[in-house]
Amino acid sequence: MIKVAKFGGSSVADAEQFRKVKSIVGSDPERRFVVVSASGRRFPQDNKVTDLLLLVNAHIEYHVDCTALLSDIQARYQDIADELELSYPVAERFGEFAAQVKGFSPEYVVSRGEWFTGQLMAEYLDLPFVDAAEVIVFHHDGSVDMERTAMRLRDRATRLGSFLLPGFYGATVDGSIKLFQRGGGDITGAILARCLDAGVYENWTDVSGFLAADPRVVDHPRSIHRITYDEMRELSYMGASVLQEEAIFPVRETNIPIQIKNTNDPDAKGTIIRETAEEHVKEHLITGIAGKRDFMAIHVQRAHISNDVGYLRRALSVFEKYGVSVEHVPTGVDSFGVVVNGADVKDSIYSIVNELQHELEPDSINVVDSLALISVVGRNMSRRAGTSGRIFGCLGEAGINIRMITQSSQEISIIMGVNNADFERAIQCIYDRFVDGEMVEMPQLAQ
């Protein structure tokens, strides 16, 4: 079986982290293909190399001398090479880059973080280095040419048997460097896993997978050992993210599981992102709970809304006009609400309400601010009747008022709106009652 192992910035931050990566890769001969990010923070107040290179671009744009900044970046790589006794000529190669930096595209400059990290790690692991610009092919619109990319990656794999690939970037057919969005190293790893038909895509980071709740709200929440792609998307949307969301799509289409592991605790079980479960295995009723504060709901009421074709479309077009993303649209017989991020409308809410009044001629419009959204996610909730009612009852017993309720069409999440002031108490209440303990036995393979 082929395992693709991707190591994030925290996993390659310094020489000590390099040693951990080598131990992990060397412990399993199936880890023949490695993807690395640029070196990340060594300590909380430190800077990621990618951020420093973005700052280099800003210096160049505003004609500010960036010599000292480039020297700091070079020193990061020189320290790693010296401590690990690597032969890679950091001073010479980085000096060549620094001397010409003003002539490079901003994307090329930023990509050098992964490139230099990859060069050092390839030597340390004794793996061939494959430049992502030679194998990850972008269309000019920024999408990946999967056909060309797969052909090139498979060719390298066949000829080399194993290799190290820097993440986050590739190139168009004419050789222009293109970047993925931030966190794009995860996407690189997923593309490689897909193209090589890997048995598993391992994503090594500084946490032991997904947690069932935010540890800033719940003390020592349990780890989630298995999560489906849809559940991951639901929780990630509410901020519980350890993986770049776009990374799931290349491997999901080919049913390759993703294993989230901790470089600093490699024996921890971690989280596996996979659709199927074993028969008769007990799983938690609720997979996880996540939420965010500071939303706003604009409630519109008018008699016989359902008879007015296009009424809701006209309302949503007002938000579109102001460039505001709509989070949820809970509806009633003669009313509906539009839930938006409060920060998105802080400068335009009065204009939006006035335009809604003009466009819709409603009986009333009511704005509710300081709203927190909490998403309770669980693929097994539909297996146990009355789960939603019990959750609402739990909050009622705690004296927490629910301002809004909506449920996903797939029945894997229930989203509730509560006052900002009740946010942490609501999460703790639901976690204590449902998330931490209640189990469901799998009578058959999950769909």
Side-chain angles (χ1 to χ4, degrees):
M1 179 176 73
I2 292 174
K3 291 183 179 179
V4 170
K6 186 268 175 178
F7 293 90
S10 62
S11 300
V12 294
D14 55 24
E16 181 58 31
Q17 294 302 95
F18 268 53
R19 293 188 181 100
K20 294 176 183 178
V21 170
K22 186 171 185 175
S23 176
I24 290 166
V25 173
S27 68
D28 190 340
E30 293 179 337
R31 294 185 180 116
R32 293 187 286 124
F33 300 94
V34 176
V35 177
V36 294
S37 295
S39 296
R41 293 188 182 94
R42 296 160 293 183
F43 44 87
Q45 293 75 34
D46 197 18
N47 292 302
K48 300 177 181 179
V49 166
T50 296
D51 291 335
L52 295 176
L53 289 167
L54 288 167
L55 190 57
V56 167
N57 279 331
H59 278 54
I60 294 171
E61 181 181 357
Y62 292 103
H63 308 290
V64 178
D65 181 55
C66 58
T67 303
L69 189 54
L70 288 166
S71 296
D72 288 344
I73 300 170
Q74 178 179 329
R76 290 279 299 269
Y77 290 119
Q78 191 66 61
D79 287 347
I80 293 172
D82 290 346
E83 186 169 340
L84 300 177
E85 299 181 342
L86 303 177
S87 63
Y88 183 79
V90 173
E92 181 181 346
R93 296 289 181 264
F94 199 93
E96 293 169 354
F97 163 67
Q100 305 175 62
V101 69
K102 293 181 181 179
F104 295 132
S105 72
E107 290 185 292
Y108 181 93
V109 171
V110 173
S111 74
R112 295 308 88 180
E114 275 73 15
W115 194 85
F116 279 107
T117 304
Q119 292 283 358
L120 296 176
M121 185 64 80
E123 179 184 342
Y124 190 55
L125 298 180
D126 194 24
L127 289 174
F129 175 86
V130 173
D131 189 353
E134 298 175 356
V135 291
I136 304 295
V137 185
F138 280 91
H139 294 294
H140 285 283
D141 66 0
S143 61
V144 176
D145 184 335
M146 287 301 300
E147 184 176 351
R148 281 194 175 96
T149 296
M151 180 180 65
R152 295 185 184 189
L153 286 170
R154 289 167 186 162
D155 173 69
R156 296 300 197 285
T158 300
R159 289 196 286 113
L160 300 173
S162 61
F163 58 74
L164 182 139
L165 182 71
F168 189 38
Y169 74 94
T172 57
V173 175
D174 64 9
S176 300
I177 295 294
K178 296 284 287 185
L179 302 178
F180 290 104
Q181 57 188 291
R182 287 300 293 267
D186 292 344
I187 303 174
T188 303
I191 290 172
L192 178 59
R194 170 179 172 161
C195 293
L196 299 186
D197 194 25
V200 64
Y201 168 36
E202 295 181 337
N203 194 284
W204 293 83
T205 180
D206 57 359
V207 295
S208 298
F210 281 85
L211 297 176
D214 189 336
R216 294 169 297 184
V217 177
V218 175
D219 289 335
H220 308 297
R222 67 168 174 82
S223 296
I224 300 172
H225 295 313
R226 183 177 78 88
I227 190 171
T228 65
Y229 292 106
D230 287 334
E231 288 175 309
M232 193 210 81
R233 290 276 289 168
E234 293 280 348
L235 289 172
S236 294
Y237 187 74
M238 283 295 185
S241 181
V242 297
L243 180 73
Q244 218 290 343
E245 290 183 57
E246 296 300 314
I248 71 172
F249 296 108
V251 291
R252 182 177 190 175
E253 293 169 359
T254 51
N255 200 31
I256 297 171
I258 303 175
Q259 182 84 46
I260 309 295
K261 298 281 283 181
N262 189 344
T263 304
N264 303 315
D265 187 10
D267 294 329
K269 189 172 182 179
T271 298
I272 191 161
I273 307 171
R274 183 177 60 194
E275 296 301 298
T276 57
E278 298 178 14
E279 294 184 53
H280 306 301
V281 169
K282 286 189 175 182
E283 293 192 335
H284 286 276
L285 173 68
I286 291 174
T287 302
I289 181 171
K292 293 180 181 178
R293 295 180 176 87
D294 298 324
F295 289 89
M296 184 176 290
I298 298 90
H299 295 285
V300 178
Q301 185 168 2
R302 182 183 172 185
H304 309 299
I305 282 179
S306 59
N307 297 328
D308 193 339
V309 177
Y311 195 82
L312 181 58
R313 176 191 57 77
R314 299 203 308 274
L316 295 179
S317 68
V318 173
F319 292 90
E320 181 182 8
K321 175 181 175 181
Y322 285 87
V324 176
S325 177
V326 173
E327 303 286 336
H328 299 283
V329 186
T331 61
V333 176
D334 291 323
S335 65
F336 64 86
V338 179
V339 180
V340 298
N341 192 314
D344 292 345
V345 296
K346 63 184 179 65
D347 297 324
S348 58
I349 184 62
Y350 295 111
S351 299
I352 288 173
V353 169
N354 286 336
E355 198 149 338
L356 288 172
Q357 291 275 16
H358 175 76
E359 179 68 31
L360 304 178
E361 298 181 350
D363 294 335
S364 66
I365 293 182
N366 182 34
V367 177
V368 177
D369 61 3
S370 300
L371 185 70
L373 295 185
I374 296 173
S375 181
V376 180
V377 178
R379 57 189 174 272
N380 297 316
M381 288 193 294
S382 61
R383 295 178 180 273
R384 182 160 294 176
T387 298
S388 59
R390 292 166 56 215
I391 292 172
F392 303 150
C394 168
L395 295 181
E397 291 170 11
I400 297 171
N401 185 31
I402 301 175
R403 309 296 302 271
M404 183 202 81
I405 299 169
T406 183
Q407 186 169 18
S408 71
S409 58
Q410 295 172 303
E411 298 185 58
I412 65 167
S413 71
I414 300 169
I415 297 173
M416 296 162 287
V418 301
N419 294 324
N420 272 349
D422 292 326
F423 176 73
E424 293 189 359
R425 196 158 58 93
I427 288 180
Q428 188 72 60
C429 174
I430 297 170
Y431 182 88
D432 290 343
R433 184 77 66 88
F434 301 100
V435 181
D436 195 31
E438 193 163 349
M439 308 289 284
V440 174
E441 183 172 331
M442 299 295 99
Q444 60 183 11
L445 291 178
Q447 298 298 312

